[in-house]
Amino acid sequence: MKRNALYALAVSVLISAAAAAQTPPPQTTPPQTPPPQTTPPPQTTPPPQTPPPQTPPAQATPAMQELTVVGCVVKGVKPNVYLIERAVDPTKKNDPPRTFRIQAQMEDPDFESHVNARVEFTGSAEVKAVTPPPPGGKIDEKDLPVFMVKNFQRVADTCTADPASR
């Protein structure tokens, strides 16, 4: 029994010595305080860099064709959107009627006063195939080819239903 007590005492002394060797010695010098500063220290690390914005895959610029068309001006569904319906090239005999979304390349065009009138437009038209609408449906205005208007003039006060009457 004495022997077990001696072993236990020896083991606890060894454990205590090992633990004491692992602890750092206490500091004996008082901590130094830095002198007071009146200006903030200069920033040594640069501000975080924001990654450049992700650009969507490059879309091809639509092909544009210089064109003169005669058609009917109608208001679009959205505000300040105007369309040229039944637009045909007056120099081509069998030009099929098309619809364009109008964008002006001039200051303050007054398309509103030409709504439901037959108008001749000069400008450049986007060359793109338009998917036909479902039966009884309409093509969304944003899917129509764009006609960039450089100049326009009224040729008739009303639109006719027959595009052949040019």
Side-chain angles (χ1 to χ4, degrees):
M1 185 79 111
K2 276 184 173 178
R3 194 179 210 189
N4 286 341
L6 280 176
Y7 283 129
L9 181 62
V11 168
S12 54
V13 167
L14 285 174
I15 291 176
S16 297
Q22 301 268 333
T23 347
Q27 284 189 341
T28 55
T29 58
Q32 293 183 353
T33 57
Q37 293 183 345
T38 56
T39 60
Q43 187 174 359
T44 56
T45 57
Q49 296 279 332
T50 56
Q54 294 290 331
T55 55
Q59 293 181 349
T61 304
M64 300 297 278
Q65 173 187 9
E66 291 296 316
L67 195 59
T68 297
V69 296
V70 176
C72 186
V73 177
V74 296
K75 275 189 115 164
V77 176
K78 297 182 175 99
N80 299 320
V81 174
Y82 295 92
L83 308 175
I84 311 170
E85 287 189 339
R86 299 189 309 269
V88 292
D89 183 340
T91 62
K92 294 181 182 172
K93 190 78 171 151
N94 294 319
D95 191 30
R98 296 174 276 178
T99 301
F100 294 99
R101 182 170 34 103
I102 302 173
Q103 285 189 354
Q105 290 184 314
M106 61 193 70
E107 205 170 302
D108 298 325
D110 182 18
F111 295 129
E112 181 67 32
S113 67
H114 296 287
V115 170
N116 296 324
R118 194 152 179 81
V119 178
E120 179 180 87
F121 291 93
T122 304
S124 52
E126 186 177 22
V127 179
K128 87 178 200 184
V130 178
T131 308
K138 286 188 117 184
I139 297 173
D140 192 337
E141 294 167 352
K142 70 178 173 46
D143 295 329
L144 291 171
V146 173
F147 192 98
M148 301 295 286
V149 178
K150 293 180 184 170
N151 195 2
F152 66 100
Q153 66 181 4
R154 183 185 294 239
V155 293
D157 288 336
T158 60
C159 291
T160 58
D162 180 13
S165 62
R166 305 179 204 188

